[in-house]
Amino acid sequence: MSAPIIGLHHWFDSPPGRYLLAWEQACFDEAVVDIFGYHSLQLGVPLLDGLRANRMPYRWLALGQEVAQEVAGGASAAAQTPAEGAAAPQRQRQQAALLAEPVALPFAAASLDLIVLPHTLELSIDPHAALREVERVLMPEGRVVISGLNPTSLWGLRQRRARWYRHLGHGTPYLPEVGELIGYWRLRDWLRLLGFEVESTRFGCYRPAVRNAQWLERFGWMDALGEKWWPILGAAYFLVAVKRVHGMRLLNPAWRSSRQRAATTVPLANSTNSSKNGRGPRRHLDGQEPLASRPCGAGAASDPGGMRTMTAMNHNHRHGNTA
């Protein structure tokens, strides 16, 4: 990560930045509360705690080296000037567990159950490589939660206008100078190519691009109106994607296969050894026992002429004699 991250870090302490973080924090809390597993990771933006509502036993926050230095510098500056820190509300920053870049994560393949990316792809030097690294370390059926700025919004329109004004020699950008903003549909195509399935999507922050907190409060009615009438034009998007692995086969437990095997062998045992269940051997419709169940001499003793009659019938059938 490079210098644009510092600009985004300071921008989150402004009124529009706090408005955006409040909406994203509510989205993350709602999305990760029912995601179960053992290991989860958040990449970037320590001002936002994307895993605070999650119940996994192992949760980490990873920051780039430059971001960690900027966070430490901002904390020391706030401690030296308490009056300025009291003038603007400061968010509690998380303590980083490790230093890692999104394009090279120090985790084994298929070792994480959940990864949270708050504006991480926008700040990465190679967002597509960062997304491939996320796909590598995620387990099958693992989830990635992504939030980003929407270029097709009122905020994105003002940002493009400010960049055009800067070419003319005046004007300041409304949003921080990060890399290229990644559109929602472009990100969705990247996820599909990497084998992800988008599970849910939300857009938010429909208020106009103003810097004053009072004006942001006055336009609060636009959130409900924008969510109903122009949902895809929100200033930020939020999505949850699931890693799908094609061809994976779920193996049944050993106890289930043994029970199924026993259930299939019991009827065969009853049919072949029916004398054990008290029903006795099967009989024909005329009430006589089948020949297979009779003793060898039982048929001759009960019907001495039966075998001679069958022999005569076979002889007449061979020579064409009929009665």
Side-chain angles (χ1 to χ4, degrees):
M1 296 185 182
S2 56
I5 302 173
I6 302 175
L8 180 64
H9 177 75
H10 286 292
W11 183 82
F12 279 138
D13 287 331
S14 64
R18 291 191 294 269
Y19 162 60
L20 175 62
L21 281 181
W23 179 80
E24 290 184 345
Q25 186 67 67
C27 292
F28 277 107
D29 292 344
E30 182 181 354
V32 304
V33 65
D34 291 330
I35 300 178
F36 299 99
Y38 293 96
H39 305 90
S40 58
L41 175 68
Q42 175 178 338
L43 292 175
V45 188
L47 294 175
L48 188 146
D49 191 356
L51 298 174
R52 72 178 184 181
N54 189 258
R55 289 169 282 182
M56 293 187 186
Y58 303 103
R59 294 172 292 180
W60 299 289
L61 170 65
L63 299 178
Q65 185 176 1
E66 297 183 6
V67 180
Q69 293 176 356
E70 178 63 20
V71 170
S76 61
Q80 294 176 2
T81 58
E84 295 180 0
Q90 298 289 333
R91 289 180 174 266
Q92 185 178 2
R93 293 172 173 84
Q94 304 179 73
Q95 296 294 329
L98 67 155
L99 301 179
E101 298 293 338
V103 295
L105 297 177
F107 294 96
S111 59
L112 299 179
D113 300 286
L114 171 64
I115 298 181
V116 173
L117 304 177
H119 303 277
T120 307
L121 299 179
E122 301 167 355
L123 305 176
S124 176
I125 55 177
D126 191 348
H128 198 272
L131 205 57
R132 288 198 303 267
E133 187 71 2
V134 168
E135 189 274 338
R136 182 186 69 84
V137 300
L138 265 182
M139 297 183 62
E141 303 300 319
R143 284 169 170 79
V144 57
V145 186
I146 305 174
S147 66
L149 295 171
N150 186 13
T152 58
S153 62
L154 295 178
W155 292 19
L157 179 62
R158 177 166 179 176
Q159 181 75 0
R160 289 194 296 270
R161 187 188 65 178
R163 288 180 178 178
W164 185 71
Y165 283 166
R166 289 187 64 182
H167 289 294
L168 300 179
H170 58 85
T172 57
Y174 180 74
L175 298 175
E177 284 295 332
V178 297
E180 183 182 1
L181 298 182
I182 303 173
Y184 166 73
W185 295 107
R186 182 183 180 187
L187 178 60
R188 194 183 181 96
D189 291 338
W190 288 359
L191 292 171
R192 187 181 295 109
L193 289 175
L194 293 175
F196 286 94
E197 179 183 348
V198 178
E199 191 175 46
S200 62
T201 304
R202 293 183 61 181
F203 290 85
C205 299
Y206 298 94
R207 304 180 191 183
V210 294
R211 302 180 186 274
N212 195 333
Q214 296 180 355
W215 281 103
L216 282 174
E217 292 295 331
R218 291 181 180 180
F219 287 104
W221 55 272
M222 294 187 63
D223 287 334
L225 190 64
E227 188 174 0
K228 180 179 180 180
W229 294 105
W230 54 86
I232 63 174
L233 299 180
Y237 57 82
F238 179 90
L239 62 88
V240 180
V242 186
K243 178 183 176 180
R244 302 296 188 189
V245 178
H246 299 285
M248 184 177 67
R249 180 180 180 182
L250 299 179
L251 299 179
N252 293 328
W255 60 267
R256 182 177 298 177
S257 59
S258 61
R259 286 186 178 181
Q260 293 177 354
R261 195 181 307 111
T264 56
T265 55
V266 167
L268 296 178
N270 292 336
S271 61
T272 56
N273 194 9
S274 58
S275 61
K276 295 182 180 180
N277 55 16
R279 292 183 301 176
R282 294 180 295 178
R283 298 178 179 272
H284 288 291
L285 296 177
D286 56 358
Q288 298 181 359
E289 296 180 1
L291 294 177
S293 61
R294 299 178 186 177
C296 295
S302 60
D303 188 10
M307 297 299 297
R308 292 193 297 269
T309 304
M310 293 178 62
T311 304
M313 291 175 63
N314 293 335
H315 177 76
N316 296 332
H317 178 71
R318 290 176 181 176
H319 295 277
N321 299 327
T322 58

